Amino acid sequence: ISSQLGLAGRAPATRRSWALDTREEGRLGSGRGSTPSQPTPSTMVNGTTSATKFGGTSSASPAKGKKEKRACRAREETGIHADVEIIHSFGVHGPVRNNVGLLPILDEHGTPKDHAIFPSGQHVAMMRIEDGDMRFLVNKMRQGTMRQIVALALSPNRKHVAICERILEELVPDATEHHRDVTHVSVYRHISTEDGRGRLTQRKTPPLTYPSDHPVHFKCVDFSSDSKLLVAVADDPDLTIVVWHWEKDKISHQCQLLNMSKEKVDVTRVCFPPNDKTCVTTSGHMSLKMWSLNPDGGVSQKNLLPPNKGQENFVDHAWMSGRGDAIRRMVAVTDGVSRDHGLNLDGKEDSREFLILIFEAMDNPSSMELRKNFSASLPGTSRVETITPYGKGFVVAGSSGFFSVYERTDDRKDPYLLIKTFSKNEYMASETFMSMAASPNDEMLVAITKDKDIYSFPLGNIDIMDDTENHFQHVCAGGLHRGKVLAMDLCLQKPVLVTCGEDRTIRLWDYQRWRCELSHECTEEPVAVALHPTGFQLLVGFKERVRVFNVLHKEMKMYREIPITKCRELQYSHGGHQFACASSISIVVYCSYTFQLLNTFTGHIGPVRRIAWAPNDLSIFSAGVDGNVYGWELTTGVRIEEVSQLNQSIAYSGLAVSIPKKKNEKASLIACSIDGALREVTWNWGMPDTQQIRGSEPVPNSEALNMLAQGYSSTITVVALAHNGTYLVAGTSNGAIHVYAWPLTDELTAGKVPPHVEYPVHNGAVEALCIAPDDSYVFSASADGSIFVLRISATLPVPAKGGAITAQGEGAAAEGGDGAAAEGEGDGMRALQLGMQTGLNLSLFNLDVVQVSLEELEDRRREVDDMSKKVEEMKSDNDFALHRKDLDWEIEIKRVNEEKDNLVAAEQARFSDLQKLHDETKGKHLNIVQRKEDNHVKVTQELENQYEFKLAMEMERYDKLSEEIEAIQQRCEGLLEAQAAEHESKVRDHDAKSKRVEKELRMEIEKLQDDAKHNEQAFKEVLDQQEQEYEKELQQLMDAAQVELSLERKYTNKMKKLVQDRSTTIARLEKKMYELKTAAEMRDVMLSADKVKNEKLSATLDHFKRHMEERESTLEDKEKGILELRRKNITLDNFRFVLDHRVQQLMEERGPITRHIEGLEGHIDAMYDELEREYHSKKQTDQQVGAKDMRLRTLGSELLVLRTSLVEKESYIASFKRDLSALVGVSSPKDIEDAVKDAYHKYVKEEAPRRRAVRRRVPAAGGANGGAGG
């Protein structure tokens, strides 16, 4: 990731911003050894943007005229070009869901290697799991912008990645709003594709946005199975679902549901079903739904749970991959509830259970139904957090190290089976898995925990694993910090970095091999660290003490403890002979060899925040939270008054100093304060009253301070100066890194911020900065727990002989690059190259020496002795075992031969007995068959007679029933004729009666019509008179009624709305009452448990009171003992002088002992060589033993083959004898000829005998045999 640094000397309040052409193709930062290019930032000059290339080559903007002239003028005035590239990071951004993925990328040999993709700081990292090599996705944003990654999703084809990113953007000061908080979705394309030079390329699409009146914060995202659609879900404050054709930047479907209740909608995941893009599924708090994507662009919802199924908190769900399975399955899990909601008699919480719901759909996912749900137990207080699918099933994980693996079965009733549960691992008991991803070949699973650590799990060996052992390994070797990084320091003679954090760990990082070499856990929180330039000694500051550790080969071992309280900062001198400690308001300087106090400097009235040594270690500077900056000469103890001109009432947070080697040369000190100001004082070293002060304007009012606290703006928190004094690096409160040219430009004199490059790195405030000894790497540690390694490469024009930089030389350097540097050298200018090497300069480091303790040496010696003893024992045991095996095999062979002879004799006797028995059984069987055939004929005749008798009886019964049916039909016909005649007579009577009634009614109607005509004429006149009066009154009433009706309608609508609101409120109150009743019941149970606990505590308190009384009496005895020990201590002090003298004598006698030790080491080497020779001889013996074992196995197999062949031949001979004896008993010539042919086919041609012919001849043969037997 490259950026260009441009400094505008003329334009006031100049700001730098990234060129936000997201359609331009960029590259991935490959780290170590490569210098990839990417789109460069732009230089803002008088409100006009002009893009320039890095590396010094001028590239004019496509636009001509004034814009091109302004861009050229800016390059001429700047004269500085710099590249900022992220090399590596130690840290994971979290805890958030859906923030990890696995994808294979081809290495330089064309072999696919698994890479874990996860957010780190404000970037997305891709780390090769095999060796930790990292690459980063390009993040291009404007200056003053902070990005927070919320979620990411990897496409099914493993080529694209979508990122939900929250942008906190600081706007221009004259805008109506000072900041903007938006969340959009960005897609990086072809993240695993190589270009022609073997480097990975990526292309970022324009951010996918959703037009809305209020900010929409997306938190879940997923690709469709064909990687063409992208869905994102937001749940704050309303549920919003948006589906894009992301390649076309077009919204295809959208839905927004207003949240009428006060409860927050929490969506945990959104998924597309496999091989289907007509619907999506979501899970969350009390919600598991499917959303159909309608053709008109709308979205309709469907609840997946049946109506009688209670709602649960669905923490996650996943669609199974279903390789080779036509059934589509979705699995959802709940977080887990307690079984009894109470405490056991032992005071421990009951075990918990979580539900696993399996949904199936054969054709269309919209027809999905709940196939099976079952509960699984959770150990202790564990809670399910996430689920992820893989080729054979799915994995469920959660808090307290809970990790279960399920595999698919062929049973439709139980489609998944629990294979292993890893919950007894003490090493992972404190971990909570938040997100997981499985590799495409199902060999590995990567998981990110709540404490911002990343682990790998060998999923392919699940069948042979022991669930009580730890099978998780750190993907980042050695682990990561799990909280805020508090302090950091760098070693000068080794590629080693040391940090301490809120997780109470001290970690030693190797930035050559990118791993955590050592980790030491403290009993209290460390607040400061300092590493000796040799890398063999470490200072750790605590609140009450400072401890000195020896950095050994495999551990950190405490050497001694210094009673320094309220330590805030530790710094070794550049030579390593002294170290300084900020103890409250004082600065104490100790000798690093004798640990004697050398100096104590006072002057601060508040705690000291930063300490800086001069390059010659002859002076020291400090800045504190009281707003004061001081400096002292170590040799004289005189205060350097020039730096005290920076004293103010605002606390300082960072400090950097530049001191010349000679007097009367320019010295500088720069400090940053918490109000956002950058202040610098310069003076001539050794010359009084030559100081000059300049600084930027602080944040003006409380509103700006409030914006700073919310992260919408930034202040500088820490500064660091390059060792060659060519650039200044600063860290900010929003996690960005600023790079300034040093010395700072004249904008600082006018109270403005100097021109700089801003590069977003962390998601929290930068707490510490360090620069490598060769200025190639910059290390930054942040409050988000991450550590980033950056490479800053710059070409700076510098005066040849201490003169000022001219605009002409700068313009030439800016326009011509390397060529311009050569031209500028002729004009008195020279170009200085910074950090352009492709890697570390290993010649600066002492890599061949490590520190080992005497205990470890003794342990190694003991191990060598033990190994030599074991080798001797194994050698003698092997010789004895070989001799014993030879004897055993000889005895075994004799026994097997005897058994073989006995078995052959026994089988021959057994065959003769079986042959006799066979002949007898055959005769008996033929007799039985003849008797059964005779009996069968008799039974058949009896059954036929019985059937004919039954058939005659049934025919006679059928004739009787036919006669009865004919008689019944005749009686029914007579009854029907009589009933029809009676019905006709009744119909005639009713017709006559109805005619008489009709005639009477017609006469009455005529009379009524005459009366109606007379009344109509009488009332017509009265009606005409009243109509006019009624019309007038009716018109008046209609007008009044119309007014009342409109008022009544308004009132009715108002009352309907009020009734609807009240009904909604009543429903909400009823739900709340139910929850309150449930909570009250829970509180009653907990109250009873608390009463029992209070009783136990009161008994314990009484016990403690009695124990305290006993301790007070014991303390009195101990005080008396202390007085006696003090008297003994005085006596021991008298002996100390004698012992010191003796120690000096022993030191003089140390020379012969050293020579003796060298002799012993030579003896150890000889023993090691002898041990190696014995090892090789033992290896040859093992090979000979293996050859003998193989030979014995071969002889055993040959013996088995011979035995089998012998048995087959014996059975073959027995069969031939049987057939021959049967042939002798045949008397008929035809039968003899057939039997001889069968024997010829069977034993000569080895064909199957003709069974049908043999069956025909069986009775004759049996008769012949019977006659012969008689």
PDB file of all heavy atoms in Angstrom, residues 239 265-268 282-291 301 303-305 311-317 332:
ATOM      1  N   LEU A 239     -35.393  -2.524  10.700  1.00  0.00           N
ATOM      2  CA  LEU A 239     -34.854  -3.653   9.940  1.00  0.00           C
ATOM      3  C   LEU A 239     -34.859  -3.303   8.459  1.00  0.00           C
ATOM      4  O   LEU A 239     -35.911  -3.023   7.884  1.00  0.00           O
ATOM      5  CB  LEU A 239     -35.675  -4.908  10.206  1.00  0.00           C
ATOM      6  CG  LEU A 239     -35.198  -6.169   9.471  1.00  0.00           C
ATOM      7  CD1 LEU A 239     -33.805  -6.552   9.912  1.00  0.00           C
ATOM      8  CD2 LEU A 239     -36.162  -7.320   9.717  1.00  0.00           C
ATOM      9  N   VAL A 265     -34.067  -4.527  17.467  1.00  0.00           N
ATOM     10  CA  VAL A 265     -33.999  -5.678  16.573  1.00  0.00           C
ATOM     11  C   VAL A 265     -32.535  -6.051  16.392  1.00  0.00           C
ATOM     12  O   VAL A 265     -31.711  -5.205  16.028  1.00  0.00           O
ATOM     13  CB  VAL A 265     -34.657  -5.360  15.223  1.00  0.00           C
ATOM     14  CG1 VAL A 265     -34.584  -6.565  14.302  1.00  0.00           C
ATOM     15  CG2 VAL A 265     -36.093  -4.936  15.436  1.00  0.00           C
ATOM     16  N   ASP A 266     -32.218  -7.290  16.663  1.00  0.00           N
ATOM     17  CA  ASP A 266     -30.829  -7.753  16.591  1.00  0.00           C
ATOM     18  C   ASP A 266     -30.749  -8.879  15.572  1.00  0.00           C
ATOM     19  O   ASP A 266     -31.271  -9.966  15.798  1.00  0.00           O
ATOM     20  CB  ASP A 266     -30.352  -8.226  17.961  1.00  0.00           C
ATOM     21  CG  ASP A 266     -28.878  -8.567  17.952  1.00  0.00           C
ATOM     22  OD1 ASP A 266     -28.212  -8.185  16.969  1.00  0.00           O
ATOM     23  OD2 ASP A 266     -28.405  -9.220  18.897  1.00  0.00           O
ATOM     24  N   VAL A 267     -30.101  -8.636  14.429  1.00  0.00           N
ATOM     25  CA  VAL A 267     -29.911  -9.635  13.380  1.00  0.00           C
ATOM     26  C   VAL A 267     -28.481 -10.143  13.471  1.00  0.00           C
ATOM     27  O   VAL A 267     -27.533  -9.358  13.495  1.00  0.00           O
ATOM     28  CB  VAL A 267     -30.185  -9.045  11.985  1.00  0.00           C
ATOM     29  CG1 VAL A 267     -29.893 -10.065  10.904  1.00  0.00           C
ATOM     30  CG2 VAL A 267     -31.627  -8.579  11.894  1.00  0.00           C
ATOM     31  N   THR A 268     -28.324 -11.452  13.561  1.00  0.00           N
ATOM     32  CA  THR A 268     -26.996 -12.046  13.726  1.00  0.00           C
ATOM     33  C   THR A 268     -26.392 -12.520  12.415  1.00  0.00           C
ATOM     34  O   THR A 268     -25.177 -12.526  12.272  1.00  0.00           O
ATOM     35  CB  THR A 268     -27.062 -13.226  14.701  1.00  0.00           C
ATOM     36  OG1 THR A 268     -28.005 -14.189  14.192  1.00  0.00           O
ATOM     37  CG2 THR A 268     -27.508 -12.765  16.069  1.00  0.00           C
ATOM     38  N   THR A 282     -32.707 -14.904   7.607  1.00  0.00           N
ATOM     39  CA  THR A 282     -32.080 -14.122   8.671  1.00  0.00           C
ATOM     40  C   THR A 282     -32.374 -14.780  10.009  1.00  0.00           C
ATOM     41  O   THR A 282     -33.410 -15.444  10.185  1.00  0.00           O
ATOM     42  CB  THR A 282     -32.600 -12.680   8.698  1.00  0.00           C
ATOM     43  OG1 THR A 282     -34.028 -12.692   8.904  1.00  0.00           O
ATOM     44  CG2 THR A 282     -32.273 -11.962   7.405  1.00  0.00           C
ATOM     45  N   SER A 283     -31.461 -14.601  10.941  1.00  0.00           N
ATOM     46  CA  SER A 283     -31.650 -15.070  12.311  1.00  0.00           C
ATOM     47  C   SER A 283     -31.287 -13.941  13.256  1.00  0.00           C
ATOM     48  O   SER A 283     -30.488 -13.069  12.920  1.00  0.00           O
ATOM     49  CB  SER A 283     -30.777 -16.301  12.595  1.00  0.00           C
ATOM     50  OG  SER A 283     -29.403 -15.990  12.415  1.00  0.00           O
ATOM     51  N   GLY A 284     -31.864 -13.998  14.449  1.00  0.00           N
ATOM     52  CA  GLY A 284     -31.595 -12.959  15.434  1.00  0.00           C
ATOM     53  C   GLY A 284     -32.383 -13.198  16.693  1.00  0.00           C
ATOM     54  O   GLY A 284     -32.879 -14.298  16.963  1.00  0.00           O
ATOM     55  N   HIS A 285     -32.508 -12.147  17.479  1.00  0.00           N
ATOM     56  CA  HIS A 285     -33.197 -12.232  18.757  1.00  0.00           C
ATOM     57  C   HIS A 285     -34.688 -12.474  18.524  1.00  0.00           C
ATOM     58  O   HIS A 285     -35.377 -11.655  17.906  1.00  0.00           O
ATOM     59  CB  HIS A 285     -32.968 -10.947  19.550  1.00  0.00           C
ATOM     60  CG  HIS A 285     -33.671 -10.927  20.878  1.00  0.00           C
ATOM     61  ND1 HIS A 285     -33.320 -11.783  21.903  1.00  0.00           N
ATOM     62  CD2 HIS A 285     -34.693 -10.176  21.335  1.00  0.00           C
ATOM     63  CE1 HIS A 285     -34.108 -11.544  22.951  1.00  0.00           C
ATOM     64  NE2 HIS A 285     -34.938 -10.572  22.623  1.00  0.00           N
ATOM     65  N   MET A 286     -35.183 -13.628  18.983  1.00  0.00           N
ATOM     66  CA  MET A 286     -36.585 -14.010  18.854  1.00  0.00           C
ATOM     67  C   MET A 286     -37.059 -13.985  17.401  1.00  0.00           C
ATOM     68  O   MET A 286     -38.219 -13.700  17.115  1.00  0.00           O
ATOM     69  CB  MET A 286     -37.475 -13.083  19.694  1.00  0.00           C
ATOM     70  CG  MET A 286     -37.021 -12.886  21.124  1.00  0.00           C
ATOM     71  SD  MET A 286     -37.087 -14.398  22.104  1.00  0.00           S
ATOM     72  CE  MET A 286     -38.862 -14.554  22.338  1.00  0.00           C
ATOM     73  N   SER A 287     -36.162 -14.290  16.470  1.00  0.00           N
ATOM     74  CA  SER A 287     -36.534 -14.175  15.063  1.00  0.00           C
ATOM     75  C   SER A 287     -35.750 -15.184  14.248  1.00  0.00           C
ATOM     76  O   SER A 287     -34.533 -15.315  14.403  1.00  0.00           O
ATOM     77  CB  SER A 287     -36.260 -12.763  14.544  1.00  0.00           C
ATOM     78  OG  SER A 287     -36.457 -12.690  13.166  1.00  0.00           O
ATOM     79  N   LEU A 288     -36.457 -15.907  13.372  1.00  0.00           N
ATOM     80  CA  LEU A 288     -35.864 -16.784  12.361  1.00  0.00           C
ATOM     81  C   LEU A 288     -36.810 -16.761  11.164  1.00  0.00           C
ATOM     82  O   LEU A 288     -37.872 -17.372  11.193  1.00  0.00           O
ATOM     83  CB  LEU A 288     -35.691 -18.207  12.896  1.00  0.00           C
ATOM     84  CG  LEU A 288     -35.025 -19.205  11.940  1.00  0.00           C
ATOM     85  CD1 LEU A 288     -33.605 -18.769  11.619  1.00  0.00           C
ATOM     86  CD2 LEU A 288     -35.030 -20.601  12.530  1.00  0.00           C
ATOM     87  N   LYS A 289     -36.420 -16.022  10.112  1.00  0.00           N
ATOM     88  CA  LYS A 289     -37.349 -15.751   9.030  1.00  0.00           C
ATOM     89  C   LYS A 289     -36.689 -15.994   7.682  1.00  0.00           C
ATOM     90  O   LYS A 289     -35.469 -15.988   7.561  1.00  0.00           O
ATOM     91  CB  LYS A 289     -37.847 -14.301   9.098  1.00  0.00           C
ATOM     92  CG  LYS A 289     -38.662 -13.990  10.347  1.00  0.00           C
ATOM     93  CD  LYS A 289     -39.161 -12.556  10.346  1.00  0.00           C
ATOM     94  CE  LYS A 289     -39.997 -12.269  11.597  1.00  0.00           C
ATOM     95  NZ  LYS A 289     -40.486 -10.870  11.616  1.00  0.00           N
ATOM     96  N   MET A 290     -37.576 -16.216   6.691  1.00  0.00           N
ATOM     97  CA  MET A 290     -37.169 -16.303   5.297  1.00  0.00           C
ATOM     98  C   MET A 290     -37.817 -15.141   4.555  1.00  0.00           C
ATOM     99  O   MET A 290     -38.997 -14.831   4.763  1.00  0.00           O
ATOM    100  CB  MET A 290     -37.601 -17.628   4.693  1.00  0.00           C
ATOM    101  CG  MET A 290     -37.345 -17.723   3.205  1.00  0.00           C
ATOM    102  SD  MET A 290     -37.762 -19.336   2.534  1.00  0.00           S
ATOM    103  CE  MET A 290     -36.394 -20.291   3.137  1.00  0.00           C
ATOM    104  N   TRP A 291     -37.035 -14.485   3.696  1.00  0.00           N
ATOM    105  CA  TRP A 291     -37.498 -13.310   2.950  1.00  0.00           C
ATOM    106  C   TRP A 291     -37.456 -13.662   1.460  1.00  0.00           C
ATOM    107  O   TRP A 291     -36.387 -13.921   0.915  1.00  0.00           O
ATOM    108  CB  TRP A 291     -36.610 -12.112   3.246  1.00  0.00           C
ATOM    109  CG  TRP A 291     -36.467 -11.810   4.707  1.00  0.00           C
ATOM    110  CD1 TRP A 291     -35.629 -12.408   5.582  1.00  0.00           C
ATOM    111  CD2 TRP A 291     -37.215 -10.859   5.457  1.00  0.00           C
ATOM    112  NE1 TRP A 291     -35.798 -11.886   6.847  1.00  0.00           N
ATOM    113  CE2 TRP A 291     -36.767 -10.930   6.791  1.00  0.00           C
ATOM    114  CE3 TRP A 291     -38.212  -9.945   5.126  1.00  0.00           C
ATOM    115  CZ2 TRP A 291     -37.275 -10.126   7.790  1.00  0.00           C
ATOM    116  CZ3 TRP A 291     -38.725  -9.130   6.119  1.00  0.00           C
ATOM    117  CH2 TRP A 291     -38.267  -9.217   7.442  1.00  0.00           C
ATOM    118  N   GLN A 301     -41.919 -11.473   3.843  1.00  0.00           N
ATOM    119  CA  GLN A 301     -41.345 -12.283   4.907  1.00  0.00           C
ATOM    120  C   GLN A 301     -42.214 -13.504   5.196  1.00  0.00           C
ATOM    121  O   GLN A 301     -43.416 -13.512   4.942  1.00  0.00           O
ATOM    122  CB  GLN A 301     -41.168 -11.458   6.179  1.00  0.00           C
ATOM    123  CG  GLN A 301     -42.457 -10.920   6.779  1.00  0.00           C
ATOM    124  CD  GLN A 301     -42.221 -10.232   8.105  1.00  0.00           C
ATOM    125  OE1 GLN A 301     -41.333 -10.620   8.855  1.00  0.00           O
ATOM    126  NE2 GLN A 301     -43.009  -9.212   8.394  1.00  0.00           N
ATOM    127  N   ASN A 303     -42.334 -16.557   8.434  1.00  0.00           N
ATOM    128  CA  ASN A 303     -41.781 -17.101   9.671  1.00  0.00           C
ATOM    129  C   ASN A 303     -41.566 -18.600   9.493  1.00  0.00           C
ATOM    130  O   ASN A 303     -42.487 -19.339   9.147  1.00  0.00           O
ATOM    131  CB  ASN A 303     -42.732 -16.823  10.831  1.00  0.00           C
ATOM    132  CG  ASN A 303     -42.047 -17.009  12.173  1.00  0.00           C
ATOM    133  OD1 ASN A 303     -40.902 -17.451  12.230  1.00  0.00           O
ATOM    134  ND2 ASN A 303     -42.744 -16.658  13.232  1.00  0.00           N
ATOM    135  N   LEU A 304     -40.355 -19.064   9.724  1.00  0.00           N
ATOM    136  CA  LEU A 304     -40.025 -20.469   9.511  1.00  0.00           C
ATOM    137  C   LEU A 304     -40.527 -21.371  10.615  1.00  0.00           C
ATOM    138  O   LEU A 304     -40.647 -22.579  10.419  1.00  0.00           O
ATOM    139  CB  LEU A 304     -38.506 -20.631   9.376  1.00  0.00           C
ATOM    140  CG  LEU A 304     -37.880 -19.965   8.150  1.00  0.00           C
ATOM    141  CD1 LEU A 304     -36.373 -20.141   8.169  1.00  0.00           C
ATOM    142  CD2 LEU A 304     -38.445 -20.540   6.877  1.00  0.00           C
ATOM    143  N   LEU A 305     -40.800 -20.827  11.788  1.00  0.00           N
ATOM    144  CA  LEU A 305     -41.237 -21.653  12.907  1.00  0.00           C
ATOM    145  C   LEU A 305     -42.740 -21.883  12.845  1.00  0.00           C
ATOM    146  O   LEU A 305     -43.496 -20.989  12.434  1.00  0.00           O
ATOM    147  CB  LEU A 305     -40.881 -20.981  14.230  1.00  0.00           C
ATOM    148  CG  LEU A 305     -39.379 -20.790  14.493  1.00  0.00           C
ATOM    149  CD1 LEU A 305     -39.173 -20.063  15.798  1.00  0.00           C
ATOM    150  CD2 LEU A 305     -38.667 -22.130  14.511  1.00  0.00           C
ATOM    151  N   GLN A 311     -40.860 -18.828  20.562  1.00  0.00           N
ATOM    152  CA  GLN A 311     -39.740 -18.081  20.000  1.00  0.00           C
ATOM    153  C   GLN A 311     -38.522 -18.234  20.895  1.00  0.00           C
ATOM    154  O   GLN A 311     -38.625 -18.307  22.117  1.00  0.00           O
ATOM    155  CB  GLN A 311     -40.112 -16.598  19.867  1.00  0.00           C
ATOM    156  CG  GLN A 311     -41.224 -16.337  18.873  1.00  0.00           C
ATOM    157  CD  GLN A 311     -40.787 -16.575  17.442  1.00  0.00           C
ATOM    158  OE1 GLN A 311     -39.603 -16.548  17.157  1.00  0.00           O
ATOM    159  NE2 GLN A 311     -41.730 -16.824  16.563  1.00  0.00           N
ATOM    160  N   GLU A 312     -37.358 -18.271  20.268  1.00  0.00           N
ATOM    161  CA  GLU A 312     -36.089 -18.413  20.968  1.00  0.00           C
ATOM    162  C   GLU A 312     -35.122 -17.343  20.462  1.00  0.00           C
ATOM    163  O   GLU A 312     -35.389 -16.658  19.473  1.00  0.00           O
ATOM    164  CB  GLU A 312     -35.488 -19.811  20.733  1.00  0.00           C
ATOM    165  CG  GLU A 312     -36.322 -20.961  21.255  1.00  0.00           C
ATOM    166  CD  GLU A 312     -36.231 -21.129  22.759  1.00  0.00           C
ATOM    167  OE1 GLU A 312     -35.347 -20.481  23.366  1.00  0.00           O
ATOM    168  OE2 GLU A 312     -37.046 -21.878  23.316  1.00  0.00           O
ATOM    169  N   ASN A 313     -34.026 -17.215  21.156  1.00  0.00           N
ATOM    170  CA  ASN A 313     -32.968 -16.310  20.722  1.00  0.00           C
ATOM    171  C   ASN A 313     -32.042 -17.075  19.786  1.00  0.00           C
ATOM    172  O   ASN A 313     -31.172 -17.814  20.231  1.00  0.00           O
ATOM    173  CB  ASN A 313     -32.200 -15.768  21.931  1.00  0.00           C
ATOM    174  CG  ASN A 313     -31.132 -14.782  21.516  1.00  0.00           C
ATOM    175  OD1 ASN A 313     -31.178 -14.242  20.416  1.00  0.00           O
ATOM    176  ND2 ASN A 313     -30.168 -14.547  22.379  1.00  0.00           N
ATOM    177  N   PHE A 314     -32.235 -16.914  18.485  1.00  0.00           N
ATOM    178  CA  PHE A 314     -31.439 -17.630  17.495  1.00  0.00           C
ATOM    179  C   PHE A 314     -30.155 -16.842  17.249  1.00  0.00           C
ATOM    180  O   PHE A 314     -30.170 -15.773  16.624  1.00  0.00           O
ATOM    181  CB  PHE A 314     -32.228 -17.799  16.196  1.00  0.00           C
ATOM    182  CG  PHE A 314     -33.427 -18.697  16.334  1.00  0.00           C
ATOM    183  CD1 PHE A 314     -34.679 -18.175  16.571  1.00  0.00           C
ATOM    184  CD2 PHE A 314     -33.284 -20.070  16.269  1.00  0.00           C
ATOM    185  CE1 PHE A 314     -35.784 -18.995  16.722  1.00  0.00           C
ATOM    186  CE2 PHE A 314     -34.379 -20.903  16.403  1.00  0.00           C
ATOM    187  CZ  PHE A 314     -35.632 -20.366  16.645  1.00  0.00           C
ATOM    188  N   VAL A 315     -29.062 -17.359  17.776  1.00  0.00           N
ATOM    189  CA  VAL A 315     -27.794 -16.641  17.672  1.00  0.00           C
ATOM    190  C   VAL A 315     -27.170 -16.769  16.292  1.00  0.00           C
ATOM    191  O   VAL A 315     -26.406 -15.899  15.877  1.00  0.00           O
ATOM    192  CB  VAL A 315     -26.797 -17.136  18.738  1.00  0.00           C
ATOM    193  CG1 VAL A 315     -27.276 -16.778  20.119  1.00  0.00           C
ATOM    194  CG2 VAL A 315     -26.589 -18.641  18.636  1.00  0.00           C
ATOM    195  N   ASP A 316     -27.484 -17.829  15.554  1.00  0.00           N
ATOM    196  CA  ASP A 316     -26.850 -18.015  14.253  1.00  0.00           C
ATOM    197  C   ASP A 316     -27.580 -19.115  13.483  1.00  0.00           C
ATOM    198  O   ASP A 316     -28.319 -19.914  14.061  1.00  0.00           O
ATOM    199  CB  ASP A 316     -25.377 -18.392  14.418  1.00  0.00           C
ATOM    200  CG  ASP A 316     -24.543 -17.991  13.211  1.00  0.00           C
ATOM    201  OD1 ASP A 316     -25.147 -17.570  12.209  1.00  0.00           O
ATOM    202  OD2 ASP A 316     -23.308 -18.104  13.266  1.00  0.00           O
ATOM    203  N   HIS A 317     -27.365 -19.137  12.180  1.00  0.00           N
ATOM    204  CA  HIS A 317     -27.882 -20.214  11.326  1.00  0.00           C
ATOM    205  C   HIS A 317     -26.960 -20.350  10.122  1.00  0.00           C
ATOM    206  O   HIS A 317     -26.156 -19.451   9.821  1.00  0.00           O
ATOM    207  CB  HIS A 317     -29.323 -19.943  10.891  1.00  0.00           C
ATOM    208  CG  HIS A 317     -29.438 -18.928   9.794  1.00  0.00           C
ATOM    209  ND1 HIS A 317     -29.280 -17.566  10.008  1.00  0.00           N
ATOM    210  CD2 HIS A 317     -29.692 -19.070   8.464  1.00  0.00           C
ATOM    211  CE1 HIS A 317     -29.440 -16.925   8.878  1.00  0.00           C
ATOM    212  NE2 HIS A 317     -29.687 -17.807   7.910  1.00  0.00           N
ATOM    213  N   ALA A 332     -30.255 -24.065  12.404  1.00  0.00           N
ATOM    214  CA  ALA A 332     -30.272 -22.881  13.269  1.00  0.00           C
ATOM    215  C   ALA A 332     -30.036 -23.321  14.706  1.00  0.00           C
ATOM    216  O   ALA A 332     -30.452 -24.415  15.111  1.00  0.00           O
ATOM    217  CB  ALA A 332     -31.599 -22.130  13.149  1.00  0.00           C
TER     218      ALA A 332
END
